[in-house]
Amino acid sequence: MAEPLNLNRIELFAAVAEAGGFTAAAERLGMTKAGLSQQIARLEAQLGTALFVRTTRRVTLTEAGETLLRDTAPLIQSLHDSVARLNGDIAVPTGTLRITAPADHAASLLAPALAAFGDLYPDLQIDLLATDEVLDLVRERVDVAIRMGWLRDSSLRATQLGRFEQFAVAAPDYLARSGLQARHPRDLVGERWLVLSLLSAPLTWTFVHPEGENCTIRVQPAIRTSTPTTALVLAQHGAGVVVLDEGTVTPLLNDGRLVRLLPEWTLPAGGMYAVYPDSRHVPAKVRVFIAFFRDWLAGKRPVRSA
């Protein structure tokens, strides 16, 4: 008689696919690599097909493995949602909270908050994915994503955590060399621009004057980069004009390393959002984290025990 299919092995298979290898998955699952490999081998034997191509350097999914992962990921998420619904009223979140955020903001904003959050909930394991890639939250089994700017329509749920202004800035050295004395947004058109390629429209900017005038300019990139941190360093070294969020540039404006251009004009404000899979029940760990991080950003900091 054939051995019944062990559904736990499906989840182990998904963990290996997610981690990109047996060693990382075994560490995350608290198993030995040998034990995990044995379970996957039994699953492959039951299914009659190989799920992974194993080499000395990496493990990749076969076509059958990709199909299995695509078909079972929603089922696994549904199972986790069901368990979360049963545990939704637990006062102290436990388990693993998997978070993703842009690399720059993960380091500057999220990491300090998570240090304090971890103190409050020591039984909660935190898995932080610092990446500028927009991950598929369901496929990657991410509980919550921190996203900046303007959200696109999607099936995900979102909670706004805060908002930020954007400033056009340049270094004093650049202003001295270029002779730029901007009095109107049109004065910026011919300047050397540092462009963030991750933006949806990085070459078009609309400035608004308090008296009601709107001026949209289109600029040409001198240097393109994918991260705000790199753009900030380039700007400090006099490479050109850049638009960045107020939190990133304010310390440098205060100490004179950057100068805000056209301070009487404003650019569209952006938002910071917590984005999470849409389900009838939001896990307690997600609700608690979102509430904590919103308070943290508003300056409400918990007192850490000695």
Side-chain angles (χ1 to χ4, degrees):
M1 184 176 179
E3 179 186 0
L5 182 62
N6 187 332
L7 296 180
N8 184 56
R9 290 174 186 156
I10 300 291
E11 188 158 9
L12 296 180
F13 152 76
V16 175
E18 175 189 317
F22 285 86
T23 300
E27 291 177 356
R28 183 177 299 169
L29 295 167
M31 300 177 61
T32 65
K33 180 181 177 182
L36 179 58
S37 297
Q38 185 181 57
Q39 292 299 317
I40 298 302
R42 289 181 177 176
L43 177 61
E44 290 176 320
Q46 282 188 288
L47 298 176
T49 186
L51 300 175
F52 295 103
V53 176
R54 302 162 175 82
T55 67
T56 56
R57 293 190 175 184
R58 59 183 303 183
V59 173
T60 57
L61 287 166
T62 63
E63 184 176 353
E66 291 178 350
T67 300
L68 181 63
L69 183 63
R70 182 179 62 250
D71 292 345
T72 59
L75 302 177
I76 292 173
Q77 183 62 47
S78 179
L79 177 60
H80 282 282
D81 288 345
S82 296
V83 174
R85 280 193 292 273
L86 295 176
N87 296 318
D89 294 329
I90 294 178
V92 181
T94 59
T96 300
L97 178 65
R98 193 163 163 83
I99 307 172
T100 183
D104 290 342
H105 293 94
S108 62
L109 287 177
L110 190 54
L114 287 177
F117 185 70
D119 276 351
L120 293 177
Y121 302 102
D123 294 330
L124 184 65
Q125 180 180 328
I126 299 169
D127 191 355
L128 174 59
L129 305 175
T131 175
D132 294 320
E133 180 183 357
V134 179
L135 300 179
D136 183 324
L137 303 192
V138 175
R139 181 184 177 89
E140 302 294 335
R141 298 174 61 189
V142 173
D143 295 302
V144 59
I146 303 302
R147 292 182 178 165
M148 311 292 293
W150 299 266
L151 294 181
R152 301 172 182 174
D153 291 337
S154 74
S155 61
L156 301 173
R157 298 174 67 176
T159 298
Q160 185 166 351
L161 301 171
R163 65 189 302 276
F164 58 85
E165 300 295 331
Q166 298 187 101
F167 298 159
V169 300
D173 174 62
Y174 174 81
L175 298 178
R177 287 186 288 106
S178 67
L180 174 63
Q181 295 181 350
R183 296 181 176 84
H184 193 278
R186 288 189 295 269
D187 297 333
L188 302 179
V189 172
E191 298 302 313
R192 291 179 57 81
W193 275 81
L194 313 175
V195 172
L196 276 173
S197 56
L198 57 84
L199 299 178
S200 59
L203 303 180
T204 303
W205 296 101
T206 297
F207 291 79
V208 179
H209 195 273
E211 295 182 359
E213 180 184 359
N214 285 17
C215 180
T216 299
I217 62 172
R218 183 169 176 81
V219 302
Q220 296 298 318
I223 302 177
R224 293 179 183 266
T225 181
S226 61
T227 68
T229 296
T230 305
L232 184 67
V233 173
L234 287 166
Q236 289 181 72
H237 285 78
V241 176
V242 67
V243 172
L244 290 171
D245 66 275
E246 61 178 313
T248 297
V249 301
T250 294
L252 287 82
L253 295 174
N254 291 340
D255 64 18
R257 284 180 288 172
L258 290 177
V259 176
R260 183 181 176 186
L261 308 176
L262 302 172
E264 68 276 17
W265 295 74
T266 59
L267 287 161
M272 178 186 293
Y273 299 88
V275 180
Y276 44 98
D278 188 11
S279 65
R280 288 176 295 175
H281 174 85
V282 179
K285 59 186 178 182
V286 173
R287 297 197 310 270
V288 169
F289 167 73
I290 291 174
F292 173 89
F293 194 40
R294 185 194 292 115
D295 286 347
W296 176 275
L297 294 171
K300 302 174 184 177
R301 308 294 169 86
V303 178
R304 302 181 72 170
S305 58

